[in-house]
Amino acid sequence: MSAKYDPAATLSNATWVAVILSERDVAGQIPINYVTNPAVSVSAACFGTRIYDREAAVKCFSNLIAIGYRRLVVDLYWSVSRRAWSFCPVSIPVRSEAAASSETSTTKTRDSATIDDDSHDGTLYGLGSYKCTDNLDPGTLAEVLDGYFRDTNEQLTVYTTYLVLNLHVAASGSTPDEPASSISGGQLPSESERAGTILGNALSDFIYTPAQLASDRRNLNESWYQVEQSYMPITEYFTVHENEKGEQSTPDGWPSSKYIQLAKRDRLLIEYGSIDAQLVHYNLSTEDNSVFSPGLLTSDVTISATTNGTLTSGCLYEPGLTHVSQTKSSWAISNQLPVPDGLSTDETMDSLANVLSDITACGLSPMLNTTLFGQTADQQIEYYRNVSLSSSWAWALGEPHDANYAGGDGDPKYDRCAIMDLTLDGHWRSTNCTEQRRGACRIGHSPFSWVLSNRSDSFSNVSNTCPPGSSFAVPRTGLENTYLYRYLLSLPETKVDLGSADPALREVFVNFNSRDVTSCWVSGGYDSTCPYASDPQQLERQTVLVAAIAGIIILIIAALTFFVKCNANRRNSRRRKRVIAGWEYEGVPS
């Protein structure tokens, strides 16, 4: 039976949708190698309990994708005896062999395969400390991704996904908890059996390949420059050469997400990650048309943090830098997400929220490689959703508020223009567009060079107050935002004073507003329009509908919960819903 993309949880909250969508759009022209995305180890998030069940895995894959993890790091194991890849670290025997073993033994042993449960979607085998079904392979993940891409193929819902493949040799079923032996020659996967080939063939309709990148780089005039201007990558982020014919090329550039998603209609990039020493003879050269070589989409950065979640090393912000190439932030990803020991669930989630904010502000994609509180993402999705949402770099918690309501420009209840609030570590809030604030002005086209406007004004006029050589602008990445924030903190108290009662000394307009359509945040000035539909109110109606449906469901659940509690024994333990870092999650009974 084929696997289907069928998440148990989504980002249906109107504010969450506005946060994720607006950050995607504001970075839409930034080359993808400089855009941060939440990353997750599938082994930790889905198989941390060492149970490799296909049904649970499909649910876990679907959940992780639905709640915003854009980079999936996958561990695949090659079984020589089965001539197949699997997520299970142990080579699963053919069914007849395992059945014979089970019939001749009345007790389960840890040094041979036993049929642990035959009621799953595929037989669940006991293999030492692991339990694995025999039908969980790369094709399962490919089917889930295929369903996700087809279900989210409109401009409003498309995102780029990155798949990193770590390759291993499966341990022998007779010694399942011992390291696997090296393989060579005929034991290695054939060309058609290679992991990249299998996934590349299954997802060929959606992959942006190394061959496409090389072709695009050779002649920008016929690739990245041939699409509409809003899809073109920002050239300040890469090197450009021009020949005598006026043809431009780049040795190091990457396309923007808008180019990949909207111009090319692609959704996926695949990279080989680590390859175990036992696979030293695995030949990658035959797959370079569909899979990127190790390290081309990943640059690990070692980080450390305090117990309360303050980043102490690994930040890519350096005062005084003006060129992107100086930051070494291309494809930068944290080597881990520090999860402190000895804290309560609440304290741990607070610490994670803090360090995630620091990581993305420093230009790094956060990598979650821990099974949170011993529960996988098919069992307890809220923990993993909190981590994904806390990876937001732009908006303060709970912002933009009133995301699910319409309203006029002059009504202070409806805040449709964005400000950077310096008392919130440089995160943004939505405010009324008629407020009087200074504006953030970019010097030339430099990503990291900023200046403050000459005076305070309303959002509609603040662009006219930028000094010569600069223009009213908005940060497009977490690192750009940090450079603006740090610049503002360096100004004298006559311009910026975090302790002042005057909000004009604590808040600065950035060029981002949703005046046209609520929840559709756009840059480009006061009169910019929402790009999503010929009828822009369609987005507004969808957002309000989502919020209304969610509200009805919450009311029904609340009513049912009330009646259940009224009839329950008071001595029964209770689950308590808490709010951690602005996101709700279900507490675990003590």
mmCIF file with all atom_site columns, all heavy atoms in Angstrom, residues 15 23 25 41-42 90 109 119 127 157 161 220 254 272 284 288 330 365 372 380 391 394 400 449 505 509 547:
data_model
loop_
_atom_site.group_PDB
_atom_site.id
_atom_site.type_symbol
_atom_site.label_atom_id
_atom_site.label_alt_id
_atom_site.label_comp_id
_atom_site.label_asym_id
_atom_site.label_entity_id
_atom_site.label_seq_id
_atom_site.pdbx_PDB_ins_code
_atom_site.Cartn_x
_atom_site.Cartn_y
_atom_site.Cartn_z
_atom_site.occupancy
_atom_site.B_iso_or_equiv
_atom_site.pdbx_formal_charge
_atom_site.auth_seq_id
_atom_site.auth_comp_id
_atom_site.auth_asym_id
_atom_site.auth_atom_id
_atom_site.pdbx_PDB_model_num
ATOM 1   N N   . THR A 1 15  ? -1.879  33.526  12.867  1.00 0.00 ? 15  THR A N   1
ATOM 2   C CA  . THR A 1 15  ? -0.624  34.231  13.135  1.00 0.00 ? 15  THR A CA  1
ATOM 3   C C   . THR A 1 15  ? 0.564   33.402  12.683  1.00 0.00 ? 15  THR A C   1
ATOM 4   O O   . THR A 1 15  ? 1.515   33.924  12.093  1.00 0.00 ? 15  THR A O   1
ATOM 5   C CB  . THR A 1 15  ? -0.504  34.560  14.633  1.00 0.00 ? 15  THR A CB  1
ATOM 6   O OG1 . THR A 1 15  ? -1.608  35.386  15.020  1.00 0.00 ? 15  THR A OG1 1
ATOM 7   C CG2 . THR A 1 15  ? 0.789   35.300  14.923  1.00 0.00 ? 15  THR A CG2 1
ATOM 8   N N   . GLU A 1 23  ? 8.004   35.568  6.195   1.00 0.00 ? 23  GLU A N   1
ATOM 9   C CA  . GLU A 1 23  ? 9.454   35.356  6.186   1.00 0.00 ? 23  GLU A CA  1
ATOM 10  C C   . GLU A 1 23  ? 9.897   34.684  4.886   1.00 0.00 ? 23  GLU A C   1
ATOM 11  O O   . GLU A 1 23  ? 10.973  34.978  4.365   1.00 0.00 ? 23  GLU A O   1
ATOM 12  C CB  . GLU A 1 23  ? 9.872   34.526  7.395   1.00 0.00 ? 23  GLU A CB  1
ATOM 13  C CG  . GLU A 1 23  ? 9.777   35.295  8.700   1.00 0.00 ? 23  GLU A CG  1
ATOM 14  C CD  . GLU A 1 23  ? 10.424  34.573  9.864   1.00 0.00 ? 23  GLU A CD  1
ATOM 15  O OE1 . GLU A 1 23  ? 11.111  33.556  9.635   1.00 0.00 ? 23  GLU A OE1 1
ATOM 16  O OE2 . GLU A 1 23  ? 10.245  35.028  11.008  1.00 0.00 ? 23  GLU A OE2 1
ATOM 17  N N   . ASP A 1 25  ? 8.423   35.150  1.989   1.00 0.00 ? 25  ASP A N   1
ATOM 18  C CA  . ASP A 1 25  ? 8.301   36.138  0.921   1.00 0.00 ? 25  ASP A CA  1
ATOM 19  C C   . ASP A 1 25  ? 9.363   37.230  1.002   1.00 0.00 ? 25  ASP A C   1
ATOM 20  O O   . ASP A 1 25  ? 9.882   37.669  -0.027  1.00 0.00 ? 25  ASP A O   1
ATOM 21  C CB  . ASP A 1 25  ? 6.905   36.761  0.949   1.00 0.00 ? 25  ASP A CB  1
ATOM 22  C CG  . ASP A 1 25  ? 5.833   35.783  0.496   1.00 0.00 ? 25  ASP A CG  1
ATOM 23  O OD1 . ASP A 1 25  ? 6.188   34.713  -0.025  1.00 0.00 ? 25  ASP A OD1 1
ATOM 24  O OD2 . ASP A 1 25  ? 4.637   36.090  0.681   1.00 0.00 ? 25  ASP A OD2 1
ATOM 25  N N   . SER A 1 41  ? 16.833  15.961  12.227  1.00 0.00 ? 41  SER A N   1
ATOM 26  C CA  . SER A 1 41  ? 17.282  14.595  11.993  1.00 0.00 ? 41  SER A CA  1
ATOM 27  C C   . SER A 1 41  ? 16.068  13.683  12.066  1.00 0.00 ? 41  SER A C   1
ATOM 28  O O   . SER A 1 41  ? 15.414  13.579  13.110  1.00 0.00 ? 41  SER A O   1
ATOM 29  C CB  . SER A 1 41  ? 18.314  14.179  13.050  1.00 0.00 ? 41  SER A CB  1
ATOM 30  O OG  . SER A 1 41  ? 18.475  12.775  13.057  1.00 0.00 ? 41  SER A OG  1
ATOM 31  N N   . VAL A 1 42  ? 15.756  13.025  10.966  1.00 0.00 ? 42  VAL A N   1
ATOM 32  C CA  . VAL A 1 42  ? 14.606  12.126  10.937  1.00 0.00 ? 42  VAL A CA  1
ATOM 33  C C   . VAL A 1 42  ? 14.828  10.946  11.882  1.00 0.00 ? 42  VAL A C   1
ATOM 34  O O   . VAL A 1 42  ? 13.892  10.457  12.524  1.00 0.00 ? 42  VAL A O   1
ATOM 35  C CB  . VAL A 1 42  ? 14.342  11.653  9.496   1.00 0.00 ? 42  VAL A CB  1
ATOM 36  C CG1 . VAL A 1 42  ? 13.290  10.552  9.455   1.00 0.00 ? 42  VAL A CG1 1
ATOM 37  C CG2 . VAL A 1 42  ? 13.902  12.831  8.630   1.00 0.00 ? 42  VAL A CG2 1
ATOM 38  N N   . VAL A 1 90  ? 19.572  -2.311  10.988  1.00 0.00 ? 90  VAL A N   1
ATOM 39  C CA  . VAL A 1 90  ? 19.911  -3.731  10.961  1.00 0.00 ? 90  VAL A CA  1
ATOM 40  C C   . VAL A 1 90  ? 19.309  -4.366  9.713   1.00 0.00 ? 90  VAL A C   1
ATOM 41  O O   . VAL A 1 90  ? 18.188  -4.037  9.315   1.00 0.00 ? 90  VAL A O   1
ATOM 42  C CB  . VAL A 1 90  ? 19.392  -4.450  12.224  1.00 0.00 ? 90  VAL A CB  1
ATOM 43  C CG1 . VAL A 1 90  ? 19.811  -5.918  12.221  1.00 0.00 ? 90  VAL A CG1 1
ATOM 44  C CG2 . VAL A 1 90  ? 19.904  -3.757  13.483  1.00 0.00 ? 90  VAL A CG2 1
ATOM 45  N N   . THR A 1 109 ? 15.137  -13.587 21.667  1.00 0.00 ? 109 THR A N   1
ATOM 46  C CA  . THR A 1 109 ? 16.532  -13.330 21.980  1.00 0.00 ? 109 THR A CA  1
ATOM 47  C C   . THR A 1 109 ? 16.962  -12.045 21.322  1.00 0.00 ? 109 THR A C   1
ATOM 48  O O   . THR A 1 109 ? 16.334  -11.562 20.396  1.00 0.00 ? 109 THR A O   1
ATOM 49  C CB  . THR A 1 109 ? 17.421  -14.484 21.475  1.00 0.00 ? 109 THR A CB  1
ATOM 50  O OG1 . THR A 1 109 ? 17.308  -14.547 20.051  1.00 0.00 ? 109 THR A OG1 1
ATOM 51  C CG2 . THR A 1 109 ? 16.979  -15.804 22.075  1.00 0.00 ? 109 THR A CG2 1
ATOM 52  N N   . SER A 1 119 ? 0.859   -7.431  13.168  1.00 0.00 ? 119 SER A N   1
ATOM 53  C CA  . SER A 1 119 ? -0.384  -6.702  12.927  1.00 0.00 ? 119 SER A CA  1
ATOM 54  C C   . SER A 1 119 ? -0.157  -5.342  12.297  1.00 0.00 ? 119 SER A C   1
ATOM 55  O O   . SER A 1 119 ? -1.098  -4.623  12.019  1.00 0.00 ? 119 SER A O   1
ATOM 56  C CB  . SER A 1 119 ? -1.138  -6.521  14.253  1.00 0.00 ? 119 SER A CB  1
ATOM 57  O OG  . SER A 1 119 ? -0.385  -5.729  15.153  1.00 0.00 ? 119 SER A OG  1
ATOM 58  N N   . LEU A 1 127 ? 15.033  -7.014  16.347  1.00 0.00 ? 127 LEU A N   1
ATOM 59  C CA  . LEU A 1 127 ? 16.423  -7.162  15.907  1.00 0.00 ? 127 LEU A CA  1
ATOM 60  C C   . LEU A 1 127 ? 17.326  -6.527  16.954  1.00 0.00 ? 127 LEU A C   1
ATOM 61  O O   . LEU A 1 127 ? 17.676  -5.353  16.867  1.00 0.00 ? 127 LEU A O   1
ATOM 62  C CB  . LEU A 1 127 ? 16.626  -6.496  14.540  1.00 0.00 ? 127 LEU A CB  1
ATOM 63  C CG  . LEU A 1 127 ? 15.796  -7.073  13.386  1.00 0.00 ? 127 LEU A CG  1
ATOM 64  C CD1 . LEU A 1 127 ? 15.685  -6.076  12.249  1.00 0.00 ? 127 LEU A CD1 1
ATOM 65  C CD2 . LEU A 1 127 ? 16.428  -8.373  12.897  1.00 0.00 ? 127 LEU A CD2 1
ATOM 66  N N   . THR A 1 157 ? 1.313   28.335  -1.046  1.00 0.00 ? 157 THR A N   1
ATOM 67  C CA  . THR A 1 157 ? 1.699   27.229  -0.165  1.00 0.00 ? 157 THR A CA  1
ATOM 68  C C   . THR A 1 157 ? 3.014   26.556  -0.534  1.00 0.00 ? 157 THR A C   1
ATOM 69  O O   . THR A 1 157 ? 3.410   25.592  0.121   1.00 0.00 ? 157 THR A O   1
ATOM 70  C CB  . THR A 1 157 ? 0.593   26.157  -0.161  1.00 0.00 ? 157 THR A CB  1
ATOM 71  O OG1 . THR A 1 157 ? 0.327   25.734  -1.507  1.00 0.00 ? 157 THR A OG1 1
ATOM 72  C CG2 . THR A 1 157 ? -0.688  26.702  0.448   1.00 0.00 ? 157 THR A CG2 1
ATOM 73  N N   . THR A 1 161 ? 12.177  22.308  -0.208  1.00 0.00 ? 161 THR A N   1
ATOM 74  C CA  . THR A 1 161 ? 12.588  21.284  0.752   1.00 0.00 ? 161 THR A CA  1
ATOM 75  C C   . THR A 1 161 ? 13.987  20.795  0.402   1.00 0.00 ? 161 THR A C   1
ATOM 76  O O   . THR A 1 161 ? 14.343  20.694  -0.775  1.00 0.00 ? 161 THR A O   1
ATOM 77  C CB  . THR A 1 161 ? 11.600  20.099  0.734   1.00 0.00 ? 161 THR A CB  1
ATOM 78  O OG1 . THR A 1 161 ? 10.296  20.571  1.096   1.00 0.00 ? 161 THR A OG1 1
ATOM 79  C CG2 . THR A 1 161 ? 12.024  19.004  1.706   1.00 0.00 ? 161 THR A CG2 1
ATOM 80  N N   . LEU A 1 220 ? 23.694  33.638  -17.071 1.00 0.00 ? 220 LEU A N   1
ATOM 81  C CA  . LEU A 1 220 ? 22.618  34.207  -16.258 1.00 0.00 ? 220 LEU A CA  1
ATOM 82  C C   . LEU A 1 220 ? 21.593  34.942  -17.106 1.00 0.00 ? 220 LEU A C   1
ATOM 83  O O   . LEU A 1 220 ? 20.421  35.030  -16.735 1.00 0.00 ? 220 LEU A O   1
ATOM 84  C CB  . LEU A 1 220 ? 23.202  35.157  -15.209 1.00 0.00 ? 220 LEU A CB  1
ATOM 85  C CG  . LEU A 1 220 ? 24.219  34.556  -14.233 1.00 0.00 ? 220 LEU A CG  1
ATOM 86  C CD1 . LEU A 1 220 ? 24.683  35.608  -13.236 1.00 0.00 ? 220 LEU A CD1 1
ATOM 87  C CD2 . LEU A 1 220 ? 23.626  33.360  -13.500 1.00 0.00 ? 220 LEU A CD2 1
ATOM 88  N N   . TRP A 1 254 ? 23.778  31.036  -6.302  1.00 0.00 ? 254 TRP A N   1
ATOM 89  C CA  . TRP A 1 254 ? 22.645  30.111  -6.196  1.00 0.00 ? 254 TRP A CA  1
ATOM 90  C C   . TRP A 1 254 ? 21.369  30.871  -6.531  1.00 0.00 ? 254 TRP A C   1
ATOM 91  O O   . TRP A 1 254 ? 21.281  32.081  -6.309  1.00 0.00 ? 254 TRP A O   1
ATOM 92  C CB  . TRP A 1 254 ? 22.545  29.529  -4.783  1.00 0.00 ? 254 TRP A CB  1
ATOM 93  C CG  . TRP A 1 254 ? 23.628  28.541  -4.467  1.00 0.00 ? 254 TRP A CG  1
ATOM 94  C CD1 . TRP A 1 254 ? 24.892  28.829  -4.021  1.00 0.00 ? 254 TRP A CD1 1
ATOM 95  C CD2 . TRP A 1 254 ? 23.561  27.124  -4.596  1.00 0.00 ? 254 TRP A CD2 1
ATOM 96  N NE1 . TRP A 1 254 ? 25.608  27.672  -3.854  1.00 0.00 ? 254 TRP A NE1 1
ATOM 97  C CE2 . TRP A 1 254 ? 24.815  26.603  -4.193  1.00 0.00 ? 254 TRP A CE2 1
ATOM 98  C CE3 . TRP A 1 254 ? 22.564  26.233  -4.993  1.00 0.00 ? 254 TRP A CE3 1
ATOM 99  C CZ2 . TRP A 1 254 ? 25.098  25.247  -4.183  1.00 0.00 ? 254 TRP A CZ2 1
ATOM 100 C CZ3 . TRP A 1 254 ? 22.837  24.875  -4.979  1.00 0.00 ? 254 TRP A CZ3 1
ATOM 101 C CH2 . TRP A 1 254 ? 24.092  24.388  -4.583  1.00 0.00 ? 254 TRP A CH2 1
ATOM 102 N N   . TYR A 1 272 ? 24.042  14.451  -0.720  1.00 0.00 ? 272 TYR A N   1
ATOM 103 C CA  . TYR A 1 272 ? 24.641  13.414  0.108   1.00 0.00 ? 272 TYR A CA  1
ATOM 104 C C   . TYR A 1 272 ? 25.303  14.079  1.308   1.00 0.00 ? 272 TYR A C   1
ATOM 105 O O   . TYR A 1 272 ? 26.024  15.074  1.163   1.00 0.00 ? 272 TYR A O   1
ATOM 106 C CB  . TYR A 1 272 ? 25.671  12.604  -0.673  1.00 0.00 ? 272 TYR A CB  1
ATOM 107 C CG  . TYR A 1 272 ? 25.059  11.505  -1.511  1.00 0.00 ? 272 TYR A CG  1
ATOM 108 C CD1 . TYR A 1 272 ? 25.289  11.432  -2.879  1.00 0.00 ? 272 TYR A CD1 1
ATOM 109 C CD2 . TYR A 1 272 ? 24.255  10.537  -0.920  1.00 0.00 ? 272 TYR A CD2 1
ATOM 110 C CE1 . TYR A 1 272 ? 24.722  10.422  -3.644  1.00 0.00 ? 272 TYR A CE1 1
ATOM 111 C CE2 . TYR A 1 272 ? 23.681  9.530   -1.678  1.00 0.00 ? 272 TYR A CE2 1
ATOM 112 C CZ  . TYR A 1 272 ? 23.916  9.476   -3.032  1.00 0.00 ? 272 TYR A CZ  1
ATOM 113 O OH  . TYR A 1 272 ? 23.340  8.478   -3.779  1.00 0.00 ? 272 TYR A OH  1
ATOM 114 N N   . LEU A 1 284 ? 29.982  8.117   -6.101  1.00 0.00 ? 284 LEU A N   1
ATOM 115 C CA  . LEU A 1 284 ? 28.997  9.189   -6.199  1.00 0.00 ? 284 LEU A CA  1
ATOM 116 C C   . LEU A 1 284 ? 28.939  9.819   -7.582  1.00 0.00 ? 284 LEU A C   1
ATOM 117 O O   . LEU A 1 284 ? 27.981  10.526  -7.902  1.00 0.00 ? 284 LEU A O   1
ATOM 118 C CB  . LEU A 1 284 ? 29.318  10.290  -5.179  1.00 0.00 ? 284 LEU A CB  1
ATOM 119 C CG  . LEU A 1 284 ? 29.347  9.895   -3.705  1.00 0.00 ? 284 LEU A CG  1
ATOM 120 C CD1 . LEU A 1 284 ? 29.733  11.107  -2.864  1.00 0.00 ? 284 LEU A CD1 1
ATOM 121 C CD2 . LEU A 1 284 ? 28.005  9.361   -3.261  1.00 0.00 ? 284 LEU A CD2 1
ATOM 122 N N   . ASP A 1 288 ? 25.667  12.608  -10.030 1.00 0.00 ? 288 ASP A N   1
ATOM 123 C CA  . ASP A 1 288 ? 25.784  14.054  -9.895  1.00 0.00 ? 288 ASP A CA  1
ATOM 124 C C   . ASP A 1 288 ? 24.782  14.821  -10.747 1.00 0.00 ? 288 ASP A C   1
ATOM 125 O O   . ASP A 1 288 ? 24.737  16.045  -10.699 1.00 0.00 ? 288 ASP A O   1
ATOM 126 C CB  . ASP A 1 288 ? 27.214  14.517  -10.198 1.00 0.00 ? 288 ASP A CB  1
ATOM 127 C CG  . ASP A 1 288 ? 27.676  14.122  -11.596 1.00 0.00 ? 288 ASP A CG  1
ATOM 128 O OD1 . ASP A 1 288 ? 26.857  13.569  -12.355 1.00 0.00 ? 288 ASP A OD1 1
ATOM 129 O OD2 . ASP A 1 288 ? 28.857  14.359  -11.908 1.00 0.00 ? 288 ASP A OD2 1
ATOM 130 N N   . SER A 1 330 ? 27.228  31.026  3.907   1.00 0.00 ? 330 SER A N   1
ATOM 131 C CA  . SER A 1 330 ? 26.613  30.229  2.849   1.00 0.00 ? 330 SER A CA  1
ATOM 132 C C   . SER A 1 330 ? 26.339  28.813  3.346   1.00 0.00 ? 330 SER A C   1
ATOM 133 O O   . SER A 1 330 ? 27.244  28.114  3.795   1.00 0.00 ? 330 SER A O   1
ATOM 134 C CB  . SER A 1 330 ? 27.535  30.185  1.626   1.00 0.00 ? 330 SER A CB  1
ATOM 135 O OG  . SER A 1 330 ? 27.016  29.334  0.628   1.00 0.00 ? 330 SER A OG  1
ATOM 136 N N   . SER A 1 365 ? 21.030  28.037  10.116  1.00 0.00 ? 365 SER A N   1
ATOM 137 C CA  . SER A 1 365 ? 19.847  27.190  10.178  1.00 0.00 ? 365 SER A CA  1
ATOM 138 C C   . SER A 1 365 ? 19.978  26.282  11.392  1.00 0.00 ? 365 SER A C   1
ATOM 139 O O   . SER A 1 365 ? 21.010  25.638  11.575  1.00 0.00 ? 365 SER A O   1
ATOM 140 C CB  . SER A 1 365 ? 19.719  26.335  8.908   1.00 0.00 ? 365 SER A CB  1
ATOM 141 O OG  . SER A 1 365 ? 19.407  27.128  7.786   1.00 0.00 ? 365 SER A OG  1
ATOM 142 N N   . LEU A 1 372 ? 12.881  14.757  21.401  1.00 0.00 ? 372 LEU A N   1
ATOM 143 C CA  . LEU A 1 372 ? 12.449  15.659  22.463  1.00 0.00 ? 372 LEU A CA  1
ATOM 144 C C   . LEU A 1 372 ? 11.641  14.922  23.528  1.00 0.00 ? 372 LEU A C   1
ATOM 145 O O   . LEU A 1 372 ? 10.587  14.341  23.237  1.00 0.00 ? 372 LEU A O   1
ATOM 146 C CB  . LEU A 1 372 ? 11.619  16.799  21.871  1.00 0.00 ? 372 LEU A CB  1
ATOM 147 C CG  . LEU A 1 372 ? 12.383  17.759  20.948  1.00 0.00 ? 372 LEU A CG  1
ATOM 148 C CD1 . LEU A 1 372 ? 11.434  18.776  20.327  1.00 0.00 ? 372 LEU A CD1 1
ATOM 149 C CD2 . LEU A 1 372 ? 13.509  18.470  21.700  1.00 0.00 ? 372 LEU A CD2 1
ATOM 150 N N   . GLN A 1 380 ? 4.033   12.989  19.789  1.00 0.00 ? 380 GLN A N   1
ATOM 151 C CA  . GLN A 1 380 ? 3.838   14.286  20.444  1.00 0.00 ? 380 GLN A CA  1
ATOM 152 C C   . GLN A 1 380 ? 4.354   15.379  19.511  1.00 0.00 ? 380 GLN A C   1
ATOM 153 O O   . GLN A 1 380 ? 5.524   15.742  19.533  1.00 0.00 ? 380 GLN A O   1
ATOM 154 C CB  . GLN A 1 380 ? 4.569   14.301  21.786  1.00 0.00 ? 380 GLN A CB  1
ATOM 155 C CG  . GLN A 1 380 ? 4.610   15.639  22.506  1.00 0.00 ? 380 GLN A CG  1
ATOM 156 C CD  . GLN A 1 380 ? 3.256   16.280  22.692  1.00 0.00 ? 380 GLN A CD  1
ATOM 157 O OE1 . GLN A 1 380 ? 2.779   16.970  21.797  1.00 0.00 ? 380 GLN A OE1 1
ATOM 158 N NE2 . GLN A 1 380 ? 2.646   16.062  23.846  1.00 0.00 ? 380 GLN A NE2 1
ATOM 159 N N   . SER A 1 391 ? 12.026  29.015  15.398  1.00 0.00 ? 391 SER A N   1
ATOM 160 C CA  . SER A 1 391 ? 13.112  29.314  14.467  1.00 0.00 ? 391 SER A CA  1
ATOM 161 C C   . SER A 1 391 ? 12.850  30.578  13.660  1.00 0.00 ? 391 SER A C   1
ATOM 162 O O   . SER A 1 391 ? 13.686  30.986  12.855  1.00 0.00 ? 391 SER A O   1
ATOM 163 C CB  . SER A 1 391 ? 13.314  28.130  13.502  1.00 0.00 ? 391 SER A CB  1
ATOM 164 O OG  . SER A 1 391 ? 13.622  26.953  14.208  1.00 0.00 ? 391 SER A OG  1
ATOM 165 N N   . ALA A 1 394 ? 12.104  36.953  12.403  1.00 0.00 ? 394 ALA A N   1
ATOM 166 C CA  . ALA A 1 394 ? 11.618  38.314  12.175  1.00 0.00 ? 394 ALA A CA  1
ATOM 167 C C   . ALA A 1 394 ? 10.674  38.812  13.269  1.00 0.00 ? 394 ALA A C   1
ATOM 168 O O   . ALA A 1 394 ? 10.964  39.800  13.954  1.00 0.00 ? 394 ALA A O   1
ATOM 169 C CB  . ALA A 1 394 ? 10.934  38.404  10.811  1.00 0.00 ? 394 ALA A CB  1
ATOM 170 N N   . PRO A 1 400 ? 2.589   38.888  13.684  1.00 0.00 ? 400 PRO A N   1
ATOM 171 C CA  . PRO A 1 400 ? 1.794   40.120  13.698  1.00 0.00 ? 400 PRO A CA  1
ATOM 172 C C   . PRO A 1 400 ? 0.410   39.870  14.296  1.00 0.00 ? 400 PRO A C   1
ATOM 173 O O   . PRO A 1 400 ? -0.271  38.932  13.895  1.00 0.00 ? 400 PRO A O   1
ATOM 174 C CB  . PRO A 1 400 ? 1.696   40.498  12.219  1.00 0.00 ? 400 PRO A CB  1
ATOM 175 C CG  . PRO A 1 400 ? 1.831   39.188  11.492  1.00 0.00 ? 400 PRO A CG  1
ATOM 176 C CD  . PRO A 1 400 ? 2.748   38.345  12.322  1.00 0.00 ? 400 PRO A CD  1
ATOM 177 N N   . SER A 1 449 ? 24.591  47.153  5.413   1.00 0.00 ? 449 SER A N   1
ATOM 178 C CA  . SER A 1 449 ? 24.875  48.561  5.717   1.00 0.00 ? 449 SER A CA  1
ATOM 179 C C   . SER A 1 449 ? 23.573  49.346  5.819   1.00 0.00 ? 449 SER A C   1
ATOM 180 O O   . SER A 1 449 ? 22.779  49.383  4.868   1.00 0.00 ? 449 SER A O   1
ATOM 181 C CB  . SER A 1 449 ? 25.772  49.171  4.630   1.00 0.00 ? 449 SER A CB  1
ATOM 182 O OG  . SER A 1 449 ? 27.006  48.478  4.562   1.00 0.00 ? 449 SER A OG  1
ATOM 183 N N   . LEU A 1 505 ? 11.761  56.586  19.989  1.00 0.00 ? 505 LEU A N   1
ATOM 184 C CA  . LEU A 1 505 ? 13.176  56.332  20.267  1.00 0.00 ? 505 LEU A CA  1
ATOM 185 C C   . LEU A 1 505 ? 13.459  54.846  20.473  1.00 0.00 ? 505 LEU A C   1
ATOM 186 O O   . LEU A 1 505 ? 14.612  54.455  20.658  1.00 0.00 ? 505 LEU A O   1
ATOM 187 C CB  . LEU A 1 505 ? 13.617  57.117  21.509  1.00 0.00 ? 505 LEU A CB  1
ATOM 188 C CG  . LEU A 1 505 ? 13.596  58.642  21.383  1.00 0.00 ? 505 LEU A CG  1
ATOM 189 C CD1 . LEU A 1 505 ? 13.953  59.292  22.712  1.00 0.00 ? 505 LEU A CD1 1
ATOM 190 C CD2 . LEU A 1 505 ? 14.555  59.103  20.287  1.00 0.00 ? 505 LEU A CD2 1
ATOM 191 N N   . PHE A 1 509 ? 10.390  51.989  11.755  1.00 0.00 ? 509 PHE A N   1
ATOM 192 C CA  . PHE A 1 509 ? 9.660   51.374  10.647  1.00 0.00 ? 509 PHE A CA  1
ATOM 193 C C   . PHE A 1 509 ? 10.616  50.584  9.748   1.00 0.00 ? 509 PHE A C   1
ATOM 194 O O   . PHE A 1 509 ? 11.729  51.032  9.451   1.00 0.00 ? 509 PHE A O   1
ATOM 195 C CB  . PHE A 1 509 ? 8.992   52.446  9.775   1.00 0.00 ? 509 PHE A CB  1
ATOM 196 C CG  . PHE A 1 509 ? 7.627   52.878  10.238  1.00 0.00 ? 509 PHE A CG  1
ATOM 197 C CD1 . PHE A 1 509 ? 7.312   54.230  10.348  1.00 0.00 ? 509 PHE A CD1 1
ATOM 198 C CD2 . PHE A 1 509 ? 6.646   51.940  10.535  1.00 0.00 ? 509 PHE A CD2 1
ATOM 199 C CE1 . PHE A 1 509 ? 6.050   54.645  10.755  1.00 0.00 ? 509 PHE A CE1 1
ATOM 200 C CE2 . PHE A 1 509 ? 5.377   52.346  10.944  1.00 0.00 ? 509 PHE A CE2 1
ATOM 201 C CZ  . PHE A 1 509 ? 5.082   53.699  11.057  1.00 0.00 ? 509 PHE A CZ  1
ATOM 202 N N   . ALA A 1 547 ? -9.184  30.613  10.713  1.00 0.00 ? 547 ALA A N   1
ATOM 203 C CA  . ALA A 1 547 ? -9.292  31.006  12.115  1.00 0.00 ? 547 ALA A CA  1
ATOM 204 C C   . ALA A 1 547 ? -10.669 30.668  12.674  1.00 0.00 ? 547 ALA A C   1
ATOM 205 O O   . ALA A 1 547 ? -10.807 30.218  13.815  1.00 0.00 ? 547 ALA A O   1
ATOM 206 C CB  . ALA A 1 547 ? -9.017  32.504  12.253  1.00 0.00 ? 547 ALA A CB  1
#
